[in-house]
Structure formats: structure tokens, C-alpha cells
Amino acid sequence: MTTLSDVARRAGVGLSTASYVINKTGLHKVGAEAQARILAAATELDYHPNIAGRALAKGRTFMAGAIFPTMMGSFTSEILQGLEDVLNQASYSLILCTYHNENEFWGKCRLLAGKQIDGLIIMPDFKLKTCQELNERMPLVFLTKSSGTDEIPHVRVDGDMINFLAVRYLLEHGHRRIAIQCGGDPQRLEGAERAAKEVAGVRLILLEEPTANGMQMLKWGLAQPEPPTAYLTCGDSTAAELIAAAYELGLKVPDDLSVIGVNGEKFCEYTSPRLTSITQPRYEQGYEAGKLLLARIDGHETKDVILQPWLTERKSVKTILR
Amino acid sequence: MTTLSDVARRAGVGLSTASYVINKTGLHKVGAEAQARILAAATELDYHPNIAGRALAKGRTFMAGAIFPTMMGSFTSEILQGLEDVLNQASYSLILCTYHNENEFWGKCRLLAGKQIDGLIIMPDFKLKTCQELNERMPLVFLTKSSGTDEIPHVRVDGDMINFLAVRYLLEHGHRRIAIQCGGDPQRLEGAERAAKEVAGVRLILLEEPTANGMQMLKWGLAQPEPPTAYLTCGDSTAAELIAAAYELGLKVPDDLSVIGVNGEKFCEYTSPRLTSITQPRYEQGYEAGKLLLARIDGHETKDVILQPWLTERKSVKTILR
DNA sequence: AATATTTAGTGAAGCGATTCACTAGATTAA
DNA sequence: TTAATCTAGTGAATCGCTTCACTAAATATT
């Protein structure tokens, strides 16, 4: 392993001079000739700065941490993709950690905090009281699913719009009795109600159970005095399960009932019929979170980022003529 | 930031003694009393070893790199999950890089090589001639989809078994004309043929087009003089598309035709009917790859790991009585 | 009792890079 | 001519940790 002093010796200069040149901080004046000699020596010896040494001296590691809920599934992986892209552009590396529960979450926080990373991006899965302590220790950026969390900078998708878009679309297609699973998120409900207000005679039927699967939701819907004509779930999985459940019960989607999901997962293309869903811009979410973190690391002022979801029309909603 | 010498001072011992205790290397004898004092001081001061310092002293960074094809989708993310778990257990961190093409792949290799990580796990997407140069520089482990690549240690799923299991299952369920898409992998074909040999009167109908989508494959099958009763694709996506295509053409799966996929993606649960598929142990693949890498980093001899896939029965194959 | 061995513990030299404080020589200013 | 200012460059301290080489005291061995 070539070290900086190898380079310096070879170039016939002092260690510090070599350091100044390698780091091309314009601060220190170094003669053009010496500069060239050092650079040449560095390439000849195939020199790569040792990050451990640099980190120790500088207190900066050019690494960012990310703590995510178990990343099975495409949701998190697309966010990560966006994150990685920005960070790599800035020649930062990403250290990845995942957690399965709150305990593990804090464990990983501590793990990363001890690693002297320059910043941390976290995506909490649970209700996170506070992270102020961590935030004071290093720049932090939040990736929240929808509703914002205290004063830490964050990137999120506009949760208000998700169900607004879905319900508005259903109304436009003539539906008036709509079953909704909100997963306990008040924003989701508000969005739906905002859309419902625009049209007269709409009935939103709220499924209280946030963890119901597709079969459960469908059976609940069918048991209503006036069964809904459309089902809006809180995630694509439930929606996909609901389609499968309908199939098993001899019902046809969208002829007998319409379904609309949330997230825009890849498998929306694979259900029969293909699942109409509210797409969340996940890659962008990661990308923006990375940008925000880099800005904070450099000490800039930052503003939260709120991204807009959109509706991707497929085949699971039918038009009801009235 | 508390440092080790803070801890030592507080415990009233020398720096080195503290170091020995913190690292619990049984090598050095330290009195039980001093040991307790040091440990107590460490917790009281909330001490976390600074890895930059440790890395510098040890010549090890305790970071492993991973270079994967773009990780959209659950395939790679589950592998990563396994990887992360082993590495974290060994208090290693994972630096993640992804690539979209061969050029980018080499770029990331260089990036990571310059970071002085302790080892590298790569999952090539394309035909990789050689990595000997990299392998000489740092421990390397391959994650290959199926067929092995030169002499570098690797972890893979037994490609021979995938179609063997699928075809055997179809035969057991009475199918005799089976359409197969092998995606250009000779192992897949061999496996299928090996299973076919065990029963008389079997016709394997090979789809040459490796990139065909579900609709194309179905139409091709229906156009055969004697259409197959079962379709075996090279991935779950194609299988899911095929089910959707059948639905659109007014055919019922599994009554009119049976379908079997490969990979065991999460969305197999979301198709209608749910898709029977050959599950690949992806989490384990990542886990084993991590173990292999750690072993190599510690200089142990290693053996390649070959994992077995298995069939997960769902609802997309019907039994044909004969 | 004298010697050998074990136990418990310490000092200090690195690991590789950064950066402050400093200098000799050249140039400019007064 | 002398003092002031620049330029190009260096030495050495420092970051936090590991580990070799060493010691003093206690215990065991003969």
C-alpha cells in the first residue's frame, strides 16, 4: 500500500506539501513544478488516500449512514437507489443498516453513531418520539411515509394527496359508495374526505381495522348493508390480496367491484386485472433525502421536501354509468 | 466524544489495559477488579470506539463493499438483507454500490478499491471474464445467479435443480406437454431434461426467445400444433404476465393451462391464482456470501457454497388425470 | 532460600493523513 | 538600504486506537 509519504519521497518534497497538493485546497501556495512532480508520483505509485487516516485527522469520513426498516420489497430498495445515486455523485459512500423493530433501530443508530459517519438518513417505521439527541450529534434527515415528525429536516410524500387522488378518480368514474382502509393515518382520511366534499351523495365507508388483509376487507365490505362498489386500500399488497380474494369468491374485478391500491409497487402490473394505484415517487424521495443530507453536512440551511404522488391508471376500476 | 483514554483515566488504569479489556481479547490477563472498573467507566461515559482510529491501528476498516446490479425489486434486496445481517453480527458495515451497466460496474469497483475496504462481494449481471486483479488486491466473493465463474469463491443456487424440480412436479401432476422458457441458460434446460427422462412420453417444448413476455409466450404456446398444458417460465414476472395474458384471452389458470414460475418473488402471492414457483433461498445466499467473505478476510480456507432451491406450491398448477 | 514462572499491568511506538506554526529566500515598498 | 511582504515549502503535533516489549509483584518450584 502506497502511503502519502511514499509519494512525497518519490517527488522529493515534504509530507505536508504532498498533502496540500493531493487535497487541492487552494489555500496553500505550491509551485507548479512541485505540484506536477507530486501528481506524477501519485499516479505512478497508484496512490489512494487511506480513508482511515484521513478520517482520524479530519473528523470527516465521507460516509453517510442509512437506517431503514427491513428492506424486503421494492419500496425501500427504490428509495435506496435514489439515495445511492446522489451520494455517489458527491463521492460519498452509503453504509446501510436495516432494522426489524424499535430496539434494533436504536441499536443500529448507536452502531452508526460510533462510526463517525458524517450524516444519517433514517426511515422510521414506528412512532418516533424524538431524535434530537442524535440530531445534535450529526446531521440527520428523515424519510417519513407521510406525516411529518418534529423539527428534524425531512422528505416525504404529500400524504394529503394520496387518498384525495384516489377518491377523486373513483368519483369521476361514477362510484359513490367507497370502502377505505386508512391504516390509522389521519392524513389519509382527510384527503379522502376533501375529495368527497366536491360531489354530492358520496358515502365513504371506513374500515377501522388497519391490519386487515384483502380477504378480510372484502368480506367486511360485502357484509355492509349497501356494499361498496369500490375499495381503496392503504397499500398495494392488500389491494392485490383483495383481488385474489374476489377471484376465490367468484367475483370479478372490476366488473363486480373496483379496487385501487396505494404505492405503485411493481407487482401492480402482475395482478389480474392489473392494479390501478397511487404511485409514490420513491426514487426521487431517496434522491432528495440525499441532497438534503449533503446540504446539511456542508452546513447549509435546508427546507423540507414534499413530493407529489400521482395516479397510475390500470385496469382494476370500472366506470359506473349513472 | 469520549475516547479510550478518557475511559482509562476514569478507571484509573493505563490506556493499554483499557484497550485490552474493551477488545476482550483473552490474550492479555487483566484482573477482574480492573476489568469491572473499566467496563463501568465505559458505560458511564457512553464510550464507543472510534473506528477510524481502530482501522488505522489495525490496518482494517471493518467495512465490506457490495456491488450489485440496480437493486430495484425484491431479488437483490433480500440478498442484501442476509448479507447485512452476517456482517453486522461481526460488527462489519456494508458499503453499498449498484450499477446499471458494465462500465459503471468497473467504475464502482475502482471507487471501492480506493476506499480500502476489507473485502468485496460482487454480483455480476453480465459475463465477467476475470476479476483476478481485484481478487489479488482484496478478498472477493461472487454471487452468481447460477453458473459458476472462474476461480473466485462464490455462492450460488443450484441451477441444475431449478427446472428439475419444476418439471418433476408438473409430471407428477400429470402434465406431458410442457412449454419451457430457459432464458438461454443451459443448466436450466439440462435440469428439465433430467426430470423428463424419468417418465415416458414427455414432450418439452422449448421457447427459444429468452426475452419473451408472458403474452408472447402464451400466444406462441397456443399456436403449437399440440398446445402445451403447462408453462414453465424463466422468471416469476413472465409467469405472472402469462397468467394476466390468459385472463385477457378468456382462458382460466389453472383450469385451461397450468403455469409455474421461478424465483419465489413476493408477488407470487398476489396473482390470481397465486403462482406456484421455484423459490430461491435469497436471504441465505446473502448470508452465506457474507460468511464466506468474513472467512476469507480472516485468511481461512473456504469452499464454494451451493444452495438448494425448492418448490413452493400455490394454485397455478392443476392435476391432470390420466 | 534462591530461582523460575505466572499474573497484572504499563509506556511508547506506530498506523496515515491533516494542519498549525514556522522559515529561508525572493520580491516589493519606503 | 532596510524593512515589510510574499512565495514555496517544511517539521512536528495530533487524531484514537492497537500492540510489542517490558516490569514489578506474587506465586510456584526445587
Side-chain angles (χ1 to χ4, degrees):
Chain A
M1 252 305 155
T2 6
T3 74
L4 189 56
S5 70
D6 294 333
V7 174
R9 196 175 320 118
R10 169 127 190 187
V13 297
L15 178 58
S16 44
T17 309
S19 172
Y20 287 124
V21 169
I22 294 292
N23 291 291
K24 33 181 166 283
T25 57
L27 304 174
H28 239 78
K29 294 278 141 203
V30 176
E33 215 176 311
Q35 212 159 119
R37 274 202 328 271
I38 292 167
L39 258 17
T43 33
E44 280 164 34
L45 297 175
D46 188 33
Y47 169 74
H48 295 285
N50 176 312
I51 48 149
R54 170 175 293 177
L56 192 54
K58 289 248 260 199
R60 263 239 207 167
T61 53
F62 286 90
M63 312 229 179
I67 303 184
F68 278 52
T70 49
M71 57 197 176
M72 310 269 191
S74 64
F75 198 100
T76 47
S77 45
E78 287 177 32
I79 294 180
L80 278 174
Q81 182 75 51
L83 202 50
E84 196 214 334
D85 285 355
V86 233
L87 293 183
N88 277 187
Q89 273 168 33
S91 73
Y92 259 76
S93 300
L94 221 210
I95 293 192
L96 190 61
C97 281
T98 59
Y99 64 90
H100 300 81
N101 56 54
E102 197 168 336
N103 249 356
E104 228 181 85
F105 173 84
W106 291 111
K108 301 280 172 128
C109 279
R110 250 170 291 123
L111 187 83
L112 287 185
K115 294 238 170 193
Q116 289 199 321
I117 53 176
D118 296 341
L120 187 54
I121 296 184
I122 61 189
M123 179 161 166
D125 209 5
F126 47 91
K127 265 190 214 83
L128 191 51
K129 275 281 154 45
T130 179
C131 261
Q132 282 304 347
E133 206 182 327
L134 241 181
N135 191 42
E136 274 156 29
R137 196 170 171 146
M138 67 175 67
L140 212 61
V141 167
F142 259 67
L143 262 169
T144 49
K145 279 204 181 149
S146 51
S147 43
T149 323
D150 62 339
E151 282 96 50
I152 292 160
H154 66 266
V155 174
R156 61 181 163 95
V157 171
D158 191 347
D160 241 30
M161 288 301 287
I162 294 176
N163 277 7
F164 176 81
L165 290 174
V167 170
R168 191 179 62 182
Y169 177 85
L170 289 172
L171 296 178
E172 284 167 5
H173 287 72
H175 294 268
R176 288 298 177 264
R177 290 194 310 283
I178 302 172
I180 300 187
Q181 174 196 35
C182 283
D185 184 344
Q187 285 203 327
R188 291 278 178 102
L189 186 56
E190 280 165 33
E193 285 173 346
R194 192 154 52 86
K197 259 189 226 119
E198 296 177 6
V199 175
V202 179
R203 276 216 16 239
L204 297 180
I205 312 174
L206 188 67
L207 171 57
E208 300 289 349
E209 194 59 66
T211 60
N213 66 27
M215 180 58 94
Q216 290 164 341
M217 183 168 180
L218 178 58
K219 284 190 171 159
W220 161 86
L222 294 175
Q224 296 293 313
E226 277 187 299
T229 59
Y231 292 78
L232 167 56
T233 62
C234 67
D236 287 325
S237 321
T238 314
E241 286 164 5
L242 202 148
I243 291 179
Y247 180 90
E248 280 177 34
L249 298 184
L251 260 29
K252 271 196 114 175
V253 176
D255 296 336
D256 300 322
L257 53 102
S258 293
V259 181
I260 188 164
V262 171
N263 274 348
E265 304 265 5
K266 200 176 150 203
F267 62 74
C268 291
E269 294 289 342
Y270 301 143
T271 55
S272 310
R274 287 156 49 230
L275 178 63
T276 292
S277 178
I278 307 298
T279 303
Q280 304 214 38
R282 288 199 290 272
Y283 178 91
E284 287 72 19
Q285 226 184 325
Y287 198 92
E288 293 298 326
K291 268 186 18 192
L292 210 58
L293 187 69
L294 291 173
R296 289 205 65 196
I297 289 175
D298 288 342
H300 301 318
E301 276 298 305
T302 56
K303 277 223 299 271
D304 293 347
V305 177
I306 298 176
L307 299 167
Q308 292 302 317
W310 64 87
L311 186 140
T312 303
E313 186 172 42
R314 297 197 185 82
K315 298 288 183 192
S316 62
V317 173
K318 140 174 120 159
T319 301
I320 296 183
L321 298 176
R322 45 182 57 244
Chain B
M1 250 302 161
T2 2
T3 73
L4 189 55
S5 69
D6 294 332
V7 173
R9 197 174 321 117
R10 168 127 189 182
V13 298
L15 178 60
S16 46
T17 309
S19 171
Y20 287 124
V21 169
I22 294 291
N23 292 291
K24 33 181 165 282
T25 56
L27 304 175
H28 240 77
K29 294 279 142 207
V30 176
E33 214 178 312
Q35 212 159 121
R37 275 201 329 271
I38 292 167
L39 256 18
T43 33
E44 280 166 34
L45 298 174
D46 189 33
Y47 169 73
H48 296 284
N50 176 313
I51 46 136
R54 172 175 291 176
L56 193 52
K58 292 250 259 198
R60 274 219 206 171
T61 53
F62 288 92
M63 313 230 177
I67 304 184
F68 278 52
T70 50
M71 55 193 178
M72 308 270 190
S74 64
F75 198 101
T76 47
S77 46
E78 288 177 33
I79 294 180
L80 278 174
Q81 182 75 52
L83 203 49
E84 196 213 334
D85 285 354
V86 233
L87 293 183
N88 277 187
Q89 272 169 35
S91 72
Y92 259 75
S93 299
L94 222 211
I95 293 192
L96 189 63
C97 282
T98 58
Y99 64 90
H100 300 81
N101 55 56
E102 197 167 337
N103 247 357
E104 229 180 85
F105 172 85
W106 291 112
K108 302 279 172 133
C109 279
R110 248 171 291 122
L111 187 82
L112 286 185
K115 293 239 171 194
Q116 285 157 327
I117 53 177
D118 295 342
L120 189 54
I121 295 184
I122 60 188
M123 177 161 165
D125 208 6
F126 48 90
K127 264 190 214 83
L128 190 51
K129 275 281 154 44
T130 179
C131 262
Q132 281 305 346
E133 204 181 328
L134 240 182
N135 190 43
E136 276 158 29
R137 192 168 173 151
M138 68 174 69
L140 212 60
V141 166
F142 260 67
L143 262 169
T144 48
K145 282 204 180 146
S146 50
S147 43
T149 323
D150 61 338
E151 282 98 50
I152 292 161
H154 65 268
V155 175
R156 63 182 163 94
V157 171
D158 192 345
D160 240 29
M161 287 304 285
I162 294 175
N163 277 6
F164 175 81
L165 290 174
V167 170
R168 192 179 61 182
Y169 177 85
L170 289 172
L171 296 178
E172 282 166 7
H173 286 71
H175 293 270
R176 289 299 177 267
R177 289 193 311 283
I178 301 171
I180 300 187
Q181 173 197 36
C182 283
D185 184 342
Q187 283 202 327
R188 293 276 179 104
L189 186 55
E190 280 166 33
E193 285 172 345
R194 191 152 53 86
K197 258 189 227 118
E198 296 177 4
V199 175
V202 180
R203 272 212 24 235
L204 298 180
I205 313 174
L206 188 68
L207 171 57
E208 300 289 350
E209 193 60 65
T211 61
N213 64 26
M215 180 59 95
Q216 291 165 340
M217 184 169 179
L218 178 58
K219 284 191 171 158
W220 161 85
L222 294 175
Q224 296 293 314
E226 277 187 301
T229 60
Y231 292 79
L232 166 58
T233 63
C234 67
D236 288 325
S237 320
T238 313
E241 285 163 5
L242 202 147
I243 291 177
Y247 180 89
E248 282 177 33
L249 297 184
L251 261 31
K252 271 197 113 173
V253 176
D255 297 335
D256 299 322
L257 53 103
S258 292
V259 181
I260 189 163
V262 171
N263 274 346
E265 305 265 3
K266 201 175 148 204
F267 62 74
C268 291
E269 295 289 341
Y270 301 142
T271 55
S272 308
R274 288 156 47 231
L275 177 63
T276 292
S277 177
I278 306 298
T279 303
Q280 303 215 36
R282 288 199 290 272
Y283 178 90
E284 288 72 19
Q285 226 184 325
Y287 198 92
E288 293 299 327
K291 267 183 23 188
L292 209 60
L293 186 69
L294 290 173
R296 288 205 64 198
I297 289 174
D298 287 341
H300 302 318
E301 275 299 305
T302 58
K303 277 224 299 269
D304 293 347
V305 177
I306 297 177
L307 298 167
Q308 291 303 317
W310 64 86
L311 186 139
T312 302
E313 185 170 44
R314 297 197 186 81
K315 299 287 180 189
S316 61
V317 173
K318 142 174 120 162
T319 301
I320 296 183
L321 298 175
R322 48 182 55 247

